[in-house]
Amino acid sequence: MTERHSETAPASPPPRRRITRQEQEPASGEVTEVTPGVLRMQLPIWMPGLGHVNMYGLVDDRGVALVDPGLPGPRSWSTLKRRLRSAGFEFRHVHTVVVTHSHPDHYGAAGHVVKKTGARLVTHCAFETFAEASPPLGPSEAADAEREAAALAALLGVENDVPPEDFLPSSGAAAGPFSNPTPWGEAQSNRWRMRGVILRAFRRLFIAPRPTHRVRNDDVVTLAGREWRAVYTPGHTPDHLCLFDPDSGALLSGDHVLPTITPHISGMAEGFDTLGAYLATLDHVAKLPDVGVGLPAHGHPFDDVPGRVADITAHHVERMEKLAAAGEALGPATVRSLSRELFPERHWG
Amino acid sequence: MAESETFAHLEHLVHRGGAFRRTVDGRFVYEMTTDAPGADPGTEAEG
């Protein structure tokens, strides 16, 4: 069979000035109460395309629960300690850690926090990280490993419309995009292999998080004096978890719904409709009764969750239409050749 | 990232009946059907 493909990249639009999106803003030292009993604390991250991760503190009479305590490594750890102190807490007050999904800017420090505090660790039941813990690093080694990973990440540049987070293979997706060849049978690009190198650097830094409470959709998690409902939201990762408070309408949306960036959706394996799962669960959170403020893992709290869901859905519908048109023009084509019809060269790989 | 996201979109198209997938020399090759549909955001979530 002969595969047709274009010889050159699609014409790129004229260079445009990059706009810093709110998800790319550097971590602020400000601690803000975004809804009663819920504190927003920003931690620095050095993954390309993102400037901070929101660690939420859910305050109750027992102390505080931390949602997504950020990257592993000395810099994030020292900032986490400062943020806790600014909020009036010490590690002894932390009774729970919640991780929304298995990306290292969300779970990376969870193992350290649990080890330090004895807190319970709440995740979705499908939660799985890509690696077991490595032997503990000394302070100097940890600092070196963090610098190494940050330098590699910087080489990848910034992609405004595709948050360059990595899919971490799970048992349900035996191949996973980091396998070589990829699930779609083509060799990894150099750019993709670079991400694997970054993840190996992560692996040197973190303590493997061991969930003590694995929740399922609609389970109740009582935190900050509220009964949060677990909302299973696969798509960005297979184990993504949102928490919804039906009384206030607050939605801890993780990376499922971000204020201005379209969350990345990775294909996982042959026959698994990742995008279908993502779109269905987007629709689900938009229809949560009286859903109010969205509390994302990156960027600022936002009011119109259904409106933002509509925007993200429209993006995917448009992308599907472009893909179908490209496929009709090319005829039989591989993932790589179709991808190059849709994305400018700086996004290839 | 572009390739993994394109893969996700293509697999969605296959599930929706908008494309066929074959394996040729170990690589997935996709071909659109004549009435390739777009995304269907209207299905219900499953827990």
Side-chain angles (χ1 to χ4, degrees), chain A residues 165 184-185 192 264-265 267 270-271 273 284 316 320 332-333 336 347 349, chain B residues 1-5 7 9 11-13 15 21 26-28 30 41 45:
Chain A
E165 297 184 50
W184 50 94
W192 196 241
H264 178 71
I265 307 301
E270 175 185 358
D273 186 5
H284 182 58
H316 286 290
M320 296 289 294
R336 182 158 296 161
H347 289 294
Chain B
M1 302 305 281
E3 289 180 13
S4 67
E5 184 142 323
F7 176 52
H9 282 91
E11 287 296 301
H12 185 60
L13 265 180
H15 275 261
R21 173 177 20 83
R27 296 183 304 169
F28 288 177
Y30 295 86

PDB file of all heavy atoms in Angstrom, chain A residues 165 184-185 192 264-265 267 270-271 273 284 316 320 332-333 336 347 349, chain B residues 1-5 7 9 11-13 15 21 26-28 30 41 45:
ATOM      1  N   GLU A 165       2.190  18.111  29.211  1.00  0.00           N
ATOM      2  CA  GLU A 165       2.328  17.163  30.292  1.00  0.00           C
ATOM      3  C   GLU A 165       2.373  15.764  29.692  1.00  0.00           C
ATOM      4  O   GLU A 165       1.890  15.514  28.611  1.00  0.00           O
ATOM      5  CB  GLU A 165       1.153  17.279  31.256  1.00  0.00           C
ATOM      6  CG  GLU A 165       1.102  18.637  31.911  1.00  0.00           C
ATOM      7  CD  GLU A 165      -0.006  18.709  32.929  1.00  0.00           C
ATOM      8  OE1 GLU A 165      -0.074  17.818  33.766  1.00  0.00           O
ATOM      9  OE2 GLU A 165      -0.788  19.652  32.855  1.00  0.00           O
ATOM     10  N   TRP A 184       0.792   3.521  18.217  1.00  0.00           N
ATOM     11  CA  TRP A 184       0.339   3.565  16.828  1.00  0.00           C
ATOM     12  C   TRP A 184       1.415   3.035  15.874  1.00  0.00           C
ATOM     13  O   TRP A 184       1.274   3.134  14.672  1.00  0.00           O
ATOM     14  CB  TRP A 184      -0.091   4.978  16.423  1.00  0.00           C
ATOM     15  CG  TRP A 184       0.892   6.069  16.733  1.00  0.00           C
ATOM     16  CD1 TRP A 184       1.843   6.587  15.911  1.00  0.00           C
ATOM     17  CD2 TRP A 184       0.994   6.812  17.959  1.00  0.00           C
ATOM     18  NE1 TRP A 184       2.547   7.577  16.536  1.00  0.00           N
ATOM     19  CE2 TRP A 184       2.042   7.742  17.796  1.00  0.00           C
ATOM     20  CE3 TRP A 184       0.316   6.785  19.172  1.00  0.00           C
ATOM     21  CZ2 TRP A 184       2.415   8.633  18.816  1.00  0.00           C
ATOM     22  CZ3 TRP A 184       0.690   7.664  20.172  1.00  0.00           C
ATOM     23  CH2 TRP A 184       1.719   8.569  19.998  1.00  0.00           C
ATOM     24  N   GLY A 185       2.481   2.452  16.444  1.00  0.00           N
ATOM     25  CA  GLY A 185       3.411   1.685  15.638  1.00  0.00           C
ATOM     26  C   GLY A 185       4.558   2.455  15.024  1.00  0.00           C
ATOM     27  O   GLY A 185       5.397   1.860  14.347  1.00  0.00           O
ATOM     28  N   TRP A 192       9.722  13.344  21.802  1.00  0.00           N
ATOM     29  CA  TRP A 192       8.975  12.491  22.719  1.00  0.00           C
ATOM     30  C   TRP A 192       9.924  11.729  23.638  1.00  0.00           C
ATOM     31  O   TRP A 192       9.684  11.580  24.823  1.00  0.00           O
ATOM     32  CB  TRP A 192       8.108  11.536  21.888  1.00  0.00           C
ATOM     33  CG  TRP A 192       7.023  10.852  22.640  1.00  0.00           C
ATOM     34  CD1 TRP A 192       6.866   9.516  22.811  1.00  0.00           C
ATOM     35  CD2 TRP A 192       5.925  11.467  23.313  1.00  0.00           C
ATOM     36  NE1 TRP A 192       5.741   9.262  23.558  1.00  0.00           N
ATOM     37  CE2 TRP A 192       5.154  10.438  23.877  1.00  0.00           C
ATOM     38  CE3 TRP A 192       5.550  12.806  23.514  1.00  0.00           C
ATOM     39  CZ2 TRP A 192       4.001  10.686  24.622  1.00  0.00           C
ATOM     40  CZ3 TRP A 192       4.402  13.054  24.253  1.00  0.00           C
ATOM     41  CH2 TRP A 192       3.644  11.999  24.798  1.00  0.00           C
ATOM     42  N   HIS A 264      -4.439  18.574  27.603  1.00  0.00           N
ATOM     43  CA  HIS A 264      -3.945  17.611  26.620  1.00  0.00           C
ATOM     44  C   HIS A 264      -4.644  16.263  26.792  1.00  0.00           C
ATOM     45  O   HIS A 264      -4.840  15.791  27.910  1.00  0.00           O
ATOM     46  CB  HIS A 264      -2.442  17.421  26.793  1.00  0.00           C
ATOM     47  CG  HIS A 264      -1.872  16.413  25.857  1.00  0.00           C
ATOM     48  ND1 HIS A 264      -1.752  16.653  24.503  1.00  0.00           N
ATOM     49  CD2 HIS A 264      -1.427  15.156  26.060  1.00  0.00           C
ATOM     50  CE1 HIS A 264      -1.253  15.580  23.926  1.00  0.00           C
ATOM     51  NE2 HIS A 264      -1.045  14.655  24.844  1.00  0.00           N
ATOM     52  N   ILE A 265      -5.011  15.674  25.675  1.00  0.00           N
ATOM     53  CA  ILE A 265      -5.613  14.343  25.675  1.00  0.00           C
ATOM     54  C   ILE A 265      -4.703  13.415  24.889  1.00  0.00           C
ATOM     55  O   ILE A 265      -4.503  13.613  23.697  1.00  0.00           O
ATOM     56  CB  ILE A 265      -7.019  14.365  25.032  1.00  0.00           C
ATOM     57  CG1 ILE A 265      -7.892  15.430  25.678  1.00  0.00           C
ATOM     58  CG2 ILE A 265      -7.672  12.990  25.124  1.00  0.00           C
ATOM     59  CD1 ILE A 265      -8.093  15.254  27.162  1.00  0.00           C
ATOM     60  N   GLY A 267      -3.775   9.749  23.322  1.00  0.00           N
ATOM     61  CA  GLY A 267      -4.235   8.406  23.022  1.00  0.00           C
ATOM     62  C   GLY A 267      -3.471   7.425  23.885  1.00  0.00           C
ATOM     63  O   GLY A 267      -2.293   7.615  24.161  1.00  0.00           O
ATOM     64  N   GLU A 270      -4.522   1.052  21.438  1.00  0.00           N
ATOM     65  CA  GLU A 270      -5.458   0.663  20.393  1.00  0.00           C
ATOM     66  C   GLU A 270      -6.805   0.313  21.017  1.00  0.00           C
ATOM     67  O   GLU A 270      -6.881  -0.434  22.003  1.00  0.00           O
ATOM     68  CB  GLU A 270      -4.892  -0.547  19.662  1.00  0.00           C
ATOM     69  CG  GLU A 270      -5.842  -1.124  18.630  1.00  0.00           C
ATOM     70  CD  GLU A 270      -5.291  -2.407  18.022  1.00  0.00           C
ATOM     71  OE1 GLU A 270      -4.174  -2.796  18.392  1.00  0.00           O
ATOM     72  OE2 GLU A 270      -5.985  -2.996  17.189  1.00  0.00           O
ATOM     73  N   GLY A 271      -7.844   0.864  20.447  1.00  0.00           N
ATOM     74  CA  GLY A 271      -9.182   0.470  20.858  1.00  0.00           C
ATOM     75  C   GLY A 271      -9.727   1.224  22.057  1.00  0.00           C
ATOM     76  O   GLY A 271     -10.875   1.017  22.438  1.00  0.00           O
ATOM     77  N   ASP A 273     -11.035   4.627  23.571  1.00  0.00           N
ATOM     78  CA  ASP A 273     -11.502   5.928  23.083  1.00  0.00           C
ATOM     79  C   ASP A 273     -11.299   6.980  24.171  1.00  0.00           C
ATOM     80  O   ASP A 273     -12.224   7.391  24.860  1.00  0.00           O
ATOM     81  CB  ASP A 273     -12.971   5.837  22.690  1.00  0.00           C
ATOM     82  CG  ASP A 273     -13.474   7.118  22.034  1.00  0.00           C
ATOM     83  OD1 ASP A 273     -12.656   8.037  21.801  1.00  0.00           O
ATOM     84  OD2 ASP A 273     -14.687   7.208  21.770  1.00  0.00           O
ATOM     85  N   HIS A 284     -20.438  15.653  31.714  1.00  0.00           N
ATOM     86  CA  HIS A 284     -20.922  15.290  33.048  1.00  0.00           C
ATOM     87  C   HIS A 284     -20.672  16.422  34.050  1.00  0.00           C
ATOM     88  O   HIS A 284     -21.574  16.795  34.817  1.00  0.00           O
ATOM     89  CB  HIS A 284     -20.228  14.009  33.493  1.00  0.00           C
ATOM     90  CG  HIS A 284     -20.670  13.493  34.819  1.00  0.00           C
ATOM     91  ND1 HIS A 284     -21.975  13.177  35.110  1.00  0.00           N
ATOM     92  CD2 HIS A 284     -19.968  13.257  35.968  1.00  0.00           C
ATOM     93  CE1 HIS A 284     -22.065  12.763  36.364  1.00  0.00           C
ATOM     94  NE2 HIS A 284     -20.859  12.810  36.902  1.00  0.00           N
ATOM     95  N   HIS A 316     -12.392  20.542  20.372  1.00  0.00           N
ATOM     96  CA  HIS A 316     -12.190  19.164  19.896  1.00  0.00           C
ATOM     97  C   HIS A 316     -13.052  18.856  18.670  1.00  0.00           C
ATOM     98  O   HIS A 316     -12.615  18.138  17.768  1.00  0.00           O
ATOM     99  CB  HIS A 316     -12.461  18.169  21.023  1.00  0.00           C
ATOM    100  CG  HIS A 316     -11.358  18.139  22.042  1.00  0.00           C
ATOM    101  ND1 HIS A 316     -10.108  17.628  21.775  1.00  0.00           N
ATOM    102  CD2 HIS A 316     -11.307  18.594  23.319  1.00  0.00           C
ATOM    103  CE1 HIS A 316      -9.335  17.745  22.839  1.00  0.00           C
ATOM    104  NE2 HIS A 316     -10.042  18.335  23.792  1.00  0.00           N
ATOM    105  N   MET A 320     -11.544  17.644  15.196  1.00  0.00           N
ATOM    106  CA  MET A 320     -12.019  16.429  14.524  1.00  0.00           C
ATOM    107  C   MET A 320     -12.384  16.720  13.073  1.00  0.00           C
ATOM    108  O   MET A 320     -12.095  15.927  12.164  1.00  0.00           O
ATOM    109  CB  MET A 320     -13.240  15.875  15.249  1.00  0.00           C
ATOM    110  CG  MET A 320     -12.996  15.418  16.663  1.00  0.00           C
ATOM    111  SD  MET A 320     -12.025  13.938  16.746  1.00  0.00           S
ATOM    112  CE  MET A 320     -13.165  12.812  16.012  1.00  0.00           C
ATOM    113  N   PRO A 332      -5.265   7.040   2.770  1.00  0.00           N
ATOM    114  CA  PRO A 332      -4.713   6.267   3.883  1.00  0.00           C
ATOM    115  C   PRO A 332      -3.455   6.937   4.440  1.00  0.00           C
ATOM    116  O   PRO A 332      -2.540   7.280   3.680  1.00  0.00           O
ATOM    117  CB  PRO A 332      -4.386   4.918   3.251  1.00  0.00           C
ATOM    118  CG  PRO A 332      -5.278   4.837   2.059  1.00  0.00           C
ATOM    119  CD  PRO A 332      -5.432   6.237   1.554  1.00  0.00           C
ATOM    120  N   ALA A 333      -3.414   7.119   5.751  1.00  0.00           N
ATOM    121  CA  ALA A 333      -2.319   7.898   6.318  1.00  0.00           C
ATOM    122  C   ALA A 333      -2.038   7.449   7.749  1.00  0.00           C
ATOM    123  O   ALA A 333      -2.921   6.955   8.454  1.00  0.00           O
ATOM    124  CB  ALA A 333      -2.662   9.384   6.297  1.00  0.00           C
ATOM    125  N   ARG A 336       1.464  10.023  12.241  1.00  0.00           N
ATOM    126  CA  ARG A 336       2.461  11.093  12.072  1.00  0.00           C
ATOM    127  C   ARG A 336       2.122  11.981  10.886  1.00  0.00           C
ATOM    128  O   ARG A 336       2.193  13.205  10.970  1.00  0.00           O
ATOM    129  CB  ARG A 336       3.853  10.477  11.906  1.00  0.00           C
ATOM    130  CG  ARG A 336       4.973  11.498  11.775  1.00  0.00           C
ATOM    131  CD  ARG A 336       6.306  10.894  12.157  1.00  0.00           C
ATOM    132  NE  ARG A 336       6.308  10.515  13.551  1.00  0.00           N
ATOM    133  CZ  ARG A 336       7.165   9.643  14.104  1.00  0.00           C
ATOM    134  NH1 ARG A 336       8.098   9.088  13.362  1.00  0.00           N
ATOM    135  NH2 ARG A 336       7.091   9.343  15.382  1.00  0.00           N
ATOM    136  N   HIS A 347       5.218  22.005  16.803  1.00  0.00           N
ATOM    137  CA  HIS A 347       4.494  21.064  17.663  1.00  0.00           C
ATOM    138  C   HIS A 347       4.751  19.610  17.274  1.00  0.00           C
ATOM    139  O   HIS A 347       4.225  18.707  17.914  1.00  0.00           O
ATOM    140  CB  HIS A 347       2.984  21.318  17.576  1.00  0.00           C
ATOM    141  CG  HIS A 347       2.555  22.587  18.228  1.00  0.00           C
ATOM    142  ND1 HIS A 347       2.639  22.788  19.579  1.00  0.00           N
ATOM    143  CD2 HIS A 347       2.040  23.723  17.708  1.00  0.00           C
ATOM    144  CE1 HIS A 347       2.180  24.002  19.874  1.00  0.00           C
ATOM    145  NE2 HIS A 347       1.825  24.573  18.755  1.00  0.00           N
ATOM    146  N   GLY A 349       6.149  15.944  16.864  1.00  0.00           N
ATOM    147  CA  GLY A 349       6.818  15.054  17.802  1.00  0.00           C
ATOM    148  C   GLY A 349       5.970  14.788  19.019  1.00  0.00           C
ATOM    149  O   GLY A 349       4.841  15.183  19.105  1.00  0.00           O
TER     150      GLY A 349
ATOM    151  N   MET B   1       3.695  15.673  21.464  1.00  0.00           N
ATOM    152  CA  MET B   1       2.350  15.721  21.997  1.00  0.00           C
ATOM    153  C   MET B   1       1.316  15.758  20.887  1.00  0.00           C
ATOM    154  O   MET B   1       0.218  15.280  21.041  1.00  0.00           O
ATOM    155  CB  MET B   1       2.189  16.964  22.882  1.00  0.00           C
ATOM    156  CG  MET B   1       3.172  17.016  24.028  1.00  0.00           C
ATOM    157  SD  MET B   1       3.161  15.567  25.083  1.00  0.00           S
ATOM    158  CE  MET B   1       1.721  15.905  26.069  1.00  0.00           C
ATOM    159  N   ALA B   2       1.712  16.382  19.765  1.00  0.00           N
ATOM    160  CA  ALA B   2       0.778  16.474  18.652  1.00  0.00           C
ATOM    161  C   ALA B   2       0.372  15.081  18.167  1.00  0.00           C
ATOM    162  O   ALA B   2      -0.792  14.826  17.871  1.00  0.00           O
ATOM    163  CB  ALA B   2       1.399  17.288  17.521  1.00  0.00           C
ATOM    164  N   GLU B   3       1.347  14.180  18.110  1.00  0.00           N
ATOM    165  CA  GLU B   3       1.041  12.841  17.603  1.00  0.00           C
ATOM    166  C   GLU B   3       0.141  12.065  18.557  1.00  0.00           C
ATOM    167  O   GLU B   3      -0.795  11.386  18.120  1.00  0.00           O
ATOM    168  CB  GLU B   3       2.335  12.070  17.341  1.00  0.00           C
ATOM    169  CG  GLU B   3       3.094  12.608  16.136  1.00  0.00           C
ATOM    170  CD  GLU B   3       4.376  11.855  15.873  1.00  0.00           C
ATOM    171  OE1 GLU B   3       4.566  10.765  16.452  1.00  0.00           O
ATOM    172  OE2 GLU B   3       5.195  12.357  15.088  1.00  0.00           O
ATOM    173  N   SER B   4       0.389  12.167  19.850  1.00  0.00           N
ATOM    174  CA  SER B   4      -0.441  11.402  20.787  1.00  0.00           C
ATOM    175  C   SER B   4      -1.865  11.953  20.807  1.00  0.00           C
ATOM    176  O   SER B   4      -2.834  11.206  20.933  1.00  0.00           O
ATOM    177  CB  SER B   4       0.168  11.417  22.194  1.00  0.00           C
ATOM    178  OG  SER B   4       0.143  12.701  22.749  1.00  0.00           O
ATOM    179  N   GLU B   5      -1.986  13.285  20.663  1.00  0.00           N
ATOM    180  CA  GLU B   5      -3.337  13.844  20.633  1.00  0.00           C
ATOM    181  C   GLU B   5      -4.042  13.483  19.317  1.00  0.00           C
ATOM    182  O   GLU B   5      -5.244  13.181  19.303  1.00  0.00           O
ATOM    183  CB  GLU B   5      -3.303  15.363  20.823  1.00  0.00           C
ATOM    184  CG  GLU B   5      -4.693  15.966  20.894  1.00  0.00           C
ATOM    185  CD  GLU B   5      -4.829  17.096  21.896  1.00  0.00           C
ATOM    186  OE1 GLU B   5      -4.214  17.017  22.967  1.00  0.00           O
ATOM    187  OE2 GLU B   5      -5.536  18.054  21.589  1.00  0.00           O
ATOM    188  N   PHE B   7      -3.523  10.793  17.656  1.00  0.00           N
ATOM    189  CA  PHE B   7      -3.899   9.384  17.846  1.00  0.00           C
ATOM    190  C   PHE B   7      -5.227   9.294  18.606  1.00  0.00           C
ATOM    191  O   PHE B   7      -6.121   8.518  18.234  1.00  0.00           O
ATOM    192  CB  PHE B   7      -2.777   8.671  18.598  1.00  0.00           C
ATOM    193  CG  PHE B   7      -3.060   7.233  18.947  1.00  0.00           C
ATOM    194  CD1 PHE B   7      -3.487   6.325  17.990  1.00  0.00           C
ATOM    195  CD2 PHE B   7      -2.884   6.785  20.247  1.00  0.00           C
ATOM    196  CE1 PHE B   7      -3.733   5.000  18.323  1.00  0.00           C
ATOM    197  CE2 PHE B   7      -3.128   5.463  20.588  1.00  0.00           C
ATOM    198  CZ  PHE B   7      -3.557   4.576  19.625  1.00  0.00           C
ATOM    199  N   HIS B   9      -7.591  11.520  18.745  1.00  0.00           N
ATOM    200  CA  HIS B   9      -8.680  11.964  17.867  1.00  0.00           C
ATOM    201  C   HIS B   9      -9.011  10.898  16.820  1.00  0.00           C
ATOM    202  O   HIS B   9     -10.174  10.664  16.499  1.00  0.00           O
ATOM    203  CB  HIS B   9      -8.315  13.291  17.204  1.00  0.00           C
ATOM    204  CG  HIS B   9      -8.486  14.482  18.103  1.00  0.00           C
ATOM    205  ND1 HIS B   9      -7.473  14.963  18.890  1.00  0.00           N
ATOM    206  CD2 HIS B   9      -9.558  15.266  18.346  1.00  0.00           C
ATOM    207  CE1 HIS B   9      -7.909  16.006  19.582  1.00  0.00           C
ATOM    208  NE2 HIS B   9      -9.168  16.217  19.278  1.00  0.00           N
ATOM    209  N   GLU B  11      -8.560   7.627  17.055  1.00  0.00           N
ATOM    210  CA  GLU B  11      -9.252   6.494  17.678  1.00  0.00           C
ATOM    211  C   GLU B  11     -10.711   6.853  17.969  1.00  0.00           C
ATOM    212  O   GLU B  11     -11.600   6.007  17.876  1.00  0.00           O
ATOM    213  CB  GLU B  11      -8.519   6.076  18.955  1.00  0.00           C
ATOM    214  CG  GLU B  11      -7.204   5.354  18.688  1.00  0.00           C
ATOM    215  CD  GLU B  11      -7.418   4.023  17.952  1.00  0.00           C
ATOM    216  OE1 GLU B  11      -8.122   3.166  18.474  1.00  0.00           O
ATOM    217  OE2 GLU B  11      -6.872   3.870  16.832  1.00  0.00           O
ATOM    218  N   HIS B  12     -10.938   8.113  18.310  1.00  0.00           N
ATOM    219  CA  HIS B  12     -12.325   8.549  18.532  1.00  0.00           C
ATOM    220  C   HIS B  12     -13.119   8.471  17.224  1.00  0.00           C
ATOM    221  O   HIS B  12     -14.271   8.028  17.202  1.00  0.00           O
ATOM    222  CB  HIS B  12     -12.332   9.969  19.092  1.00  0.00           C
ATOM    223  CG  HIS B  12     -13.697  10.471  19.479  1.00  0.00           C
ATOM    224  ND1 HIS B  12     -14.472   9.856  20.431  1.00  0.00           N
ATOM    225  CD2 HIS B  12     -14.437  11.536  19.045  1.00  0.00           C
ATOM    226  CE1 HIS B  12     -15.625  10.501  20.575  1.00  0.00           C
ATOM    227  NE2 HIS B  12     -15.625  11.522  19.730  1.00  0.00           N
ATOM    228  N   LEU B  13     -12.466   8.890  16.153  1.00  0.00           N
ATOM    229  CA  LEU B  13     -13.131   8.796  14.844  1.00  0.00           C
ATOM    230  C   LEU B  13     -13.463   7.344  14.513  1.00  0.00           C
ATOM    231  O   LEU B  13     -14.550   7.043  14.001  1.00  0.00           O
ATOM    232  CB  LEU B  13     -12.226   9.376  13.749  1.00  0.00           C
ATOM    233  CG  LEU B  13     -12.428  10.834  13.356  1.00  0.00           C
ATOM    234  CD1 LEU B  13     -11.433  11.213  12.263  1.00  0.00           C
ATOM    235  CD2 LEU B  13     -13.862  11.088  12.873  1.00  0.00           C
ATOM    236  N   HIS B  15     -14.032   4.929  16.618  1.00  0.00           N
ATOM    237  CA  HIS B  15     -15.160   4.518  17.474  1.00  0.00           C
ATOM    238  C   HIS B  15     -16.477   5.082  16.975  1.00  0.00           C
ATOM    239  O   HIS B  15     -17.527   4.473  17.148  1.00  0.00           O
ATOM    240  CB  HIS B  15     -14.914   4.972  18.915  1.00  0.00           C
ATOM    241  CG  HIS B  15     -14.091   4.004  19.703  1.00  0.00           C
ATOM    242  ND1 HIS B  15     -14.613   3.086  20.576  1.00  0.00           N
ATOM    243  CD2 HIS B  15     -12.747   3.805  19.706  1.00  0.00           C
ATOM    244  CE1 HIS B  15     -13.646   2.363  21.096  1.00  0.00           C
ATOM    245  NE2 HIS B  15     -12.503   2.772  20.586  1.00  0.00           N
ATOM    246  N   ARG B  21      -9.266   1.774  10.677  1.00  0.00           N
ATOM    247  CA  ARG B  21      -7.855   1.615  10.998  1.00  0.00           C
ATOM    248  C   ARG B  21      -7.383   0.256  10.539  1.00  0.00           C
ATOM    249  O   ARG B  21      -8.049  -0.745  10.770  1.00  0.00           O
ATOM    250  CB  ARG B  21      -7.620   1.754  12.502  1.00  0.00           C
ATOM    251  CG  ARG B  21      -6.201   1.425  12.886  1.00  0.00           C
ATOM    252  CD  ARG B  21      -5.816   1.580  14.346  1.00  0.00           C
ATOM    253  NE  ARG B  21      -6.849   1.606  15.328  1.00  0.00           N
ATOM    254  CZ  ARG B  21      -7.404   0.511  15.843  1.00  0.00           C
ATOM    255  NH1 ARG B  21      -7.071  -0.691  15.391  1.00  0.00           N
ATOM    256  NH2 ARG B  21      -8.321   0.615  16.783  1.00  0.00           N
ATOM    257  N   GLY B  26       3.290  -2.860  10.743  1.00  0.00           N
ATOM    258  CA  GLY B  26       3.382  -2.523  12.159  1.00  0.00           C
ATOM    259  C   GLY B  26       2.853  -1.154  12.527  1.00  0.00           C
ATOM    260  O   GLY B  26       2.811  -0.809  13.703  1.00  0.00           O
ATOM    261  N   ARG B  27       2.466  -0.381  11.549  1.00  0.00           N
ATOM    262  CA  ARG B  27       1.985   0.977  11.837  1.00  0.00           C
ATOM    263  C   ARG B  27       0.491   1.064  11.577  1.00  0.00           C
ATOM    264  O   ARG B  27      -0.013   0.448  10.628  1.00  0.00           O
ATOM    265  CB  ARG B  27       2.713   2.012  10.959  1.00  0.00           C
ATOM    266  CG  ARG B  27       4.190   2.107  11.211  1.00  0.00           C
ATOM    267  CD  ARG B  27       4.823   3.179  10.365  1.00  0.00           C
ATOM    268  NE  ARG B  27       4.580   2.992   8.932  1.00  0.00           N
ATOM    269  CZ  ARG B  27       4.839   3.888   8.004  1.00  0.00           C
ATOM    270  NH1 ARG B  27       5.352   5.055   8.340  1.00  0.00           N
ATOM    271  NH2 ARG B  27       4.596   3.629   6.739  1.00  0.00           N
ATOM    272  N   PHE B  28      -0.163   1.853  12.403  1.00  0.00           N
ATOM    273  CA  PHE B  28      -1.580   2.092  12.164  1.00  0.00           C
ATOM    274  C   PHE B  28      -1.742   3.035  10.965  1.00  0.00           C
ATOM    275  O   PHE B  28      -1.049   4.059  10.869  1.00  0.00           O
ATOM    276  CB  PHE B  28      -2.241   2.753  13.376  1.00  0.00           C
ATOM    277  CG  PHE B  28      -2.417   1.835  14.556  1.00  0.00           C
ATOM    278  CD1 PHE B  28      -2.937   2.315  15.744  1.00  0.00           C
ATOM    279  CD2 PHE B  28      -2.069   0.488  14.490  1.00  0.00           C
ATOM    280  CE1 PHE B  28      -3.106   1.482  16.838  1.00  0.00           C
ATOM    281  CE2 PHE B  28      -2.237  -0.355  15.579  1.00  0.00           C
ATOM    282  CZ  PHE B  28      -2.759   0.155  16.761  1.00  0.00           C
ATOM    283  N   TYR B  30      -4.847   5.012   8.909  1.00  0.00           N
ATOM    284  CA  TYR B  30      -6.248   5.404   9.030  1.00  0.00           C
ATOM    285  C   TYR B  30      -6.777   5.879   7.686  1.00  0.00           C
ATOM    286  O   TYR B  30      -6.062   6.541   6.916  1.00  0.00           O
ATOM    287  CB  TYR B  30      -6.410   6.529  10.054  1.00  0.00           C
ATOM    288  CG  TYR B  30      -6.060   6.105  11.464  1.00  0.00           C
ATOM    289  CD1 TYR B  30      -4.740   6.161  11.908  1.00  0.00           C
ATOM    290  CD2 TYR B  30      -7.037   5.645  12.341  1.00  0.00           C
ATOM    291  CE1 TYR B  30      -4.410   5.772  13.200  1.00  0.00           C
ATOM    292  CE2 TYR B  30      -6.718   5.257  13.639  1.00  0.00           C
ATOM    293  CZ  TYR B  30      -5.403   5.327  14.053  1.00  0.00           C
ATOM    294  OH  TYR B  30      -5.080   4.942  15.333  1.00  0.00           O
ATOM    295  N   PRO B  41     -20.289  14.937  21.717  1.00  0.00           N
ATOM    296  CA  PRO B  41     -20.121  15.256  23.116  1.00  0.00           C
ATOM    297  C   PRO B  41     -21.326  14.884  23.959  1.00  0.00           C
ATOM    298  O   PRO B  41     -21.379  15.181  25.135  1.00  0.00           O
ATOM    299  CB  PRO B  41     -19.931  16.769  23.085  1.00  0.00           C
ATOM    300  CG  PRO B  41     -20.741  17.212  21.922  1.00  0.00           C
ATOM    301  CD  PRO B  41     -20.672  16.092  20.919  1.00  0.00           C
ATOM    302  N   ALA B  45     -21.627  10.204  31.073  1.00  0.00           N
ATOM    303  CA  ALA B  45     -20.426   9.726  31.739  1.00  0.00           C
ATOM    304  C   ALA B  45     -20.716   8.437  32.488  1.00  0.00           C
ATOM    305  O   ALA B  45     -21.825   8.213  32.943  1.00  0.00           O
ATOM    306  CB  ALA B  45     -19.925  10.778  32.724  1.00  0.00           C
TER     307      ALA B  45
END
